[in-house]
Amino acid sequence: DGGITQSPKYLFRKEGQNVTLSCEQNLNHDAMYWYRQDPGQGLRLIYYSQIVNDFQKGDIAEGYSVSREKKESFPLTVTSAQKNPTAFYLCASSTYARYEQYFGPGTRLTVT
Amino acid sequence: AQTVTQSQPEMSVQEAETVTLSCTYDTSESDYYLFWYKQPPSRQMILVIRQEAYKQQNATENRFSVNFQKAAKSFSLKISDSQLGDAAMYFCAYRSLGATTGTASKLTFGTGTRLQVTL
C-alpha cells in the first residue's frame, strides 16, 4: 500500500538535545512538508521541499532543520534552539498534478 | 497573506442529522483551492473534500458537500446523515493556485471545529 510513514509515534527527549523525526513516502510525490500542530491551533508550516536537495522555510522554521537527499525521505531535526518543541508533528506530501496534500500519522514529541 | 477563520470551536449533531461547519477566508487572489480535512482521535489528517475556486459548481463527496460562495469568501461543509465515525476535528485549508513553487505551495489552515456526534 502506498502511503506516508512517520516514526516514532511518540518521542521523549530531554531539553537541550537535538532530535530527528522520520518521514518516508512511497507515493512518488515530488513535494514534502512538515507541519507543527499545537492545541487549539491549526497546522503551521515548518519547512517544505519541492525537489531533492532543495527546501524552503515555512512560517515557523526557527529552531528546525531538514534535509532532502532522497525523493522518498524528508527528515526533520528539532534542535536545542527551538524554544518550545513539545508538539504534534505532521509530515505531508503532494504531487504537482493535484494540489491536495496527504498526511502521515504524525509524531508526538515531548521535551522535558 | 491569506487567513482562514473557523468561528465554531465546537459543534454537535445527532446521528442521522445534518450539520454545517463554517469557514471564511481572506485573500486577494482569484485562483486557489480550498479543502476540508478531518482529524479523528487517531490524529491522522484525512482529506474530505476539495474545491477549485474557478469552478462554480459546489463539490460533493458522498455525504459531504460544500457551499462555496466566492464573493463572500465563504466555504462551509455540510455533512448529511451524520454517523458516529464523523466525530472529529475538521479543518478548513486554503492553497494558492497561482504557482507551484515558493510559498504558494503551502496550506493555510483554520483553527478547526470539533464535531461531536450523539446518539
Side-chain angles (χ1 to χ4, degrees):
Chain A
D1 287 338
I4 303 172
T5 58
Q6 291 185 245
S7 61
K9 189 174 179 66
Y10 299 97
L11 192 54
F12 298 88
R13 281 295 183 269
K14 294 290 187 184
E15 193 173 324
Q17 294 179 335
N18 292 354
V19 59
T20 297
L21 281 59
S22 168
C23 178
E24 304 277 335
Q25 55 100 359
N26 61 4
L27 300 167
N28 199 33
H29 284 176
D30 302 289
M32 297 186 73
Y33 312 81
W34 274 105
Y35 291 90
R36 170 180 171 138
Q37 186 177 25
D38 294 285
Q41 299 192 34
L43 279 66
R44 293 182 291 167
L45 182 66
I46 304 172
Y47 267 99
Y48 66 100
S49 169
Q50 304 279 355
I51 56 173
V52 174
N53 293 323
D54 188 48
F55 46 83
Q56 288 79 38
K57 293 181 179 180
D59 299 322
I60 55 167
E62 185 175 351
Y64 300 97
S65 66
V66 294
S67 63
R68 185 89 186 275
E69 297 177 1
K70 299 185 302 182
K71 186 176 184 178
E72 302 79 18
S73 179
F74 191 43
L76 173 74
T77 297
V78 184
T79 74
S80 57
Q82 169 50 232
K83 299 301 182 188
N84 186 18
T86 294
F88 187 63
Y89 291 88
L90 285 155
C91 178
S93 70
S94 68
T95 182
Y96 293 140
R98 296 178 68 86
Y99 290 100
E100 58 263 33
Q101 294 178 13
Y102 295 90
F103 287 81
T107 293
R108 172 69 182 175
L109 173 64
T110 302
V111 177
T112 58
Chain B
Q2 295 83 21
T3 58
V4 177
T5 302
Q6 293 178 250
S7 59
Q8 307 155 314
E10 291 191 13
M11 293 282 286
S12 183
V13 64
Q14 282 193 320
E15 198 177 18
E17 297 297 309
T18 296
V19 65
T20 299
L21 308 183
S22 301
C23 173
T24 58
Y25 57 95
D26 186 24
T27 183
S28 59
E29 299 172 329
S30 59
D31 291 325
Y32 48 87
Y33 277 68
L34 294 165
F35 305 93
W36 278 99
Y37 281 88
K38 168 184 178 181
Q39 188 178 42
S42 68
R43 304 199 74 175
Q44 171 92 48
M45 293 287 283
I46 302 165
L47 177 66
V48 175
I49 199 165
R50 74 176 209 168
Q51 174 78 43
E52 296 90 332
Y54 65 88
K55 289 187 178 179
Q56 293 187 340
Q57 185 174 7
N58 289 324
T60 62
E61 287 287 343
N62 300 314
R63 298 183 294 106
F64 298 88
S65 62
V66 298
N67 183 4
F68 173 50
Q69 302 290 329
K70 190 173 183 179
K73 296 179 183 176
S74 171
F75 182 59
S76 61
L77 174 69
K78 185 171 82 171
I79 306 174
S80 304
D81 186 27
S82 296
Q83 301 174 0
L84 294 177
D86 294 332
M89 284 288 289
Y90 286 82
F91 291 95
C92 178
Y94 172 103
R95 189 206 188 278
S96 174
L97 184 60
T100 58
T101 60
T103 57
S105 62
K106 78 170 187 178
L107 290 177
T108 300
F109 287 85
T111 53
T113 297
R114 182 173 302 280
L115 178 66
Q116 293 182 322
V117 181
T118 59
L119 295 171

